């Protein structure tokens, strides 16, 4: 036997029934109160007459009550009908923002989230809900825009080495080559493959950071010792391409609780960036700044243009778009993610003597602060 599905009642219908029920209950309570008052008044009058022994002619019991009940029987249905009509009108008016929100939601596009809920300006519960959801929608649109921009940039960055790999292979396979030609081609393929692997590794690291899966294994660590190790590696790398660059370390031993691998990679990114853009000198400084441990990497280069500084830590952001071959464009974004996973921060500031300086601030262990 086919079972008929029950049609759900609308919110407007439920509000109308609630309003009408409230009116009906109020009328019943009013009638009951009037009857009780009349009965008590009649009982009190008879009691006083019995005490004074003065007998006066009385009306029949409940004689005053019946007219009241009759009036309520006539007025009740009329009041209930009026309550239904008024309730439907009030519910229609009260739900108008929801109807407008529904209309806008149907017209919005999921790909752009071009939706804003109406705010009436009355300061009621609906305005509070709409303002909260509008703020959430704004943040979601910004996150969606960042994701779309990141996806497009990642696709572009991945396509470049893949195009080189395919092109090198196609050119080499067109004709018979000498052993030197094959070795040269393999060298280019190897270099592009390493760049591609580094790019994929960086993307995975940022994806783990975005999803909250990037965790720091914190152990006691001396920033000064870490800086010395990082500077030694930077000197070795700089000796191959920029032997004129000096990398110095200064400051006092500063203990923090941090992941040595993540913090070492953060310092490596900052030093590689500083060596790439300095004129001749890079200085790593450690110390304290308030309740934080500080590690600063300063170079004597031209510094970051002020117009570009707001985008400095964005993914794939480059001050000079033509210099796409230098690094993956993700080093500073990853460095900031490493700083934040330690509960710290990483920012850029212009160095007093010219050039730029990246400053890492980390919370000190509770026992030392």
């Amino acid at each position: 036997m086919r079972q008929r599905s029950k049609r759900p009642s609308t919110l407007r219908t439920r509000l109308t029934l609630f309003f009408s029920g409230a009116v009906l209950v109020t009328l019943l309570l009013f009638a009951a109160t009037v009857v009780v008052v009349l009965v008590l008044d009649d009982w009190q009058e008879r009691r006083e007459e019995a005490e004074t022994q003065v007998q006066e002619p009385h009306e029949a019991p409940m004689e005053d009550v019946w007219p009241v009940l009759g009036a309520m029987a006539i007025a009740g249905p009329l009041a209930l009908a009026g309550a239904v009509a008024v309730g439907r009108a009030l519910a229609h008016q009260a739900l108008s923002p929801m109807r407008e929100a529904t209309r806008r939601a149907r017209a919005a596009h999921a790909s752009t989230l071009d939706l804003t809920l109406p705010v009436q300006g009355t300061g009621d519960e609906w305005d509070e809900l709409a303002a909260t959801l509008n703020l959430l929608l704004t943040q979601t649109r910004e996150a969606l825009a960042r994701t779309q921009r990141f996806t497009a940039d990642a696709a572009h960055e991945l396509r470049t080495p893949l195009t080189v790999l395919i092109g090198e292979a196609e050119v080499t396979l067109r004709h018979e080559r000498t052993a030197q030609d094959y070795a040269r081609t393999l060298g280019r393929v190897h270099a592009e493959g390493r760049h591609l692997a580094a790019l994929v590794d960086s993307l995975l690291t940022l994806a783990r950071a975005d999803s909250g899966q990037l965790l720091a294994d914190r152990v006691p660590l001396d920033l000064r010792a870490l800086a010395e190790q990082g500077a030694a590696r930077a000197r070795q790398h700089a000796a191959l391409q920029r032997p004129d660059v000096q990398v110095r370390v200064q400051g006092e031993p500063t203990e923090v609780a941090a992941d040595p691998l993540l913090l070492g990679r953060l310092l490596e990114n900052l030093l590689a960036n500083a060596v790439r853009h300095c004129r001749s000198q890079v200085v790593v400084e450690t110390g304290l700044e308030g309740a934080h441990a500080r590690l600063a990497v300063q170079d004597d280069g031209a510094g970051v243009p002020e117009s570009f500084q707001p985008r400095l830590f964005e993914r794939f952001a480059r001050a000079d778009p033509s210099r796409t071959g230098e690094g993956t464009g993700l080093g500073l974004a990853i460095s900031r993610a490493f700083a934040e996973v330690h509960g710290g921060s990483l920012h850029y500031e212009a160095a007093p003597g010219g050039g730029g300086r990246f400053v890492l601030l980390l919370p000190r262990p509770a026992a030392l602060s």
Side-chain angles (χ1 to χ4, degrees), residues 90-105:
L90 292 177
H92 180 80
Q93 178 66 24
L95 295 177
S96 60
M98 294 185 65
R99 291 195 301 275
E100 174 64 17
T102 302
R103 186 191 66 77
R104 294 187 185 186

Side-chain angles (χ1 to χ4, degrees), residues 127-164:
D127 273 7
E128 184 178 356
L129 175 62
T132 303
L133 292 178
N134 283 338
L135 177 60
L136 179 62
L137 287 168
T138 300
Q139 295 173 344
T140 304
R141 278 195 294 270
E142 294 174 352
L144 179 63
R146 286 196 299 270
T147 301
Q148 291 174 336
R149 187 166 59 249
F150 175 69
T151 303
D153 291 340
H156 174 75
E157 294 293 330
L158 289 171
R159 185 177 60 182
T160 302
L162 288 174
T163 302
V164 174

Side-chain angles (χ1 to χ4, degrees), residues 32 43 47 53 56 59 89 119 159 169 222 255 340:
W43 175 78
R47 182 180 178 184
Q53 296 181 350
E56 294 182 359
E59 297 175 347
V119 177
R159 185 177 60 182
D222 181 10
E255 187 173 346
E340 292 175 348

Side-chain angles (χ1 to χ4, degrees), residues 45-126:
E45 184 178 350
R46 292 176 184 273
R47 182 180 178 184
E48 291 176 353
E49 290 177 356
E51 291 176 352
T52 56
Q53 296 181 350
V54 177
Q55 298 295 328
E56 294 182 359
H58 286 281
E59 297 175 347
M62 302 293 289
E63 189 170 348
D64 292 337
V65 175
W66 293 118
V68 174
L69 294 177
M72 296 301 299
I74 297 174
L78 296 177
L80 185 60
V84 171
V86 173
R88 285 182 61 83
L90 292 177
H92 180 80
Q93 178 66 24
L95 295 177
S96 60
M98 294 185 65
R99 291 195 301 275
E100 174 64 17
T102 302
R103 186 191 66 77
R104 294 187 185 186
R106 286 174 177 167
H109 296 84
S111 58
T112 55
L113 283 178
D114 54 340
L115 172 63
T116 302
L117 300 181
V119 177
Q120 305 297 312
T122 57
D124 57 7
E125 290 81 356
W126 168 260

Side-chain angles (χ1 to χ4, degrees), residues 139-196:
Q139 295 173 344
T140 304
R141 278 195 294 270
E142 294 174 352
L144 179 63
R146 286 196 299 270
T147 301
Q148 291 174 336
R149 187 166 59 249
F150 175 69
T151 303
D153 291 340
H156 174 75
E157 294 293 330
L158 289 171
R159 185 177 60 182
T160 302
L162 288 174
T163 302
V164 174
L165 289 174
I166 295 172
E168 289 288 342
E170 289 178 348
V171 171
T172 304
L173 292 174
R174 285 177 186 170
H175 308 286
E176 189 68 25
R177 305 290 179 176
T178 64
Q180 292 78 8
D181 291 336
Y182 286 125
R184 185 168 52 253
T185 299
L186 286 176
R188 293 174 182 171
V189 169
H190 180 258
E192 291 300 329
R194 287 176 60 86
H195 177 73
L196 189 59

Side-chain angles (χ1 to χ4, degrees), residues 216-292:
D217 186 13
R218 304 186 188 189
V219 297
L221 185 67
D222 181 10
L223 282 181
R224 169 71 189 225
L226 183 74
E228 293 283 3
Q229 297 170 6
R233 287 193 295 271
R235 293 189 194 101
Q236 294 176 356
H237 292 301
L240 300 177
Q241 298 178 347
R242 299 199 59 185
D244 57 320
V245 172
Q246 296 181 353
V247 182
R248 297 190 294 111
V249 178
Q250 62 186 30
E252 57 190 20
T254 306
E255 187 173 346
V256 296
D259 188 314
L261 294 178
L262 297 185
L263 213 57
R265 189 174 173 189
L266 186 158
L267 180 59
E268 182 181 347
N269 290 339
L270 296 183
L271 284 171
N273 182 74
V275 169
R276 187 182 305 130
H277 295 98
C278 73
R279 283 198 292 269
S280 62
Q281 183 170 265
V282 175
V283 178
V284 184
E285 182 180 2
T286 61
L288 300 178
E289 184 172 320
H292 293 83

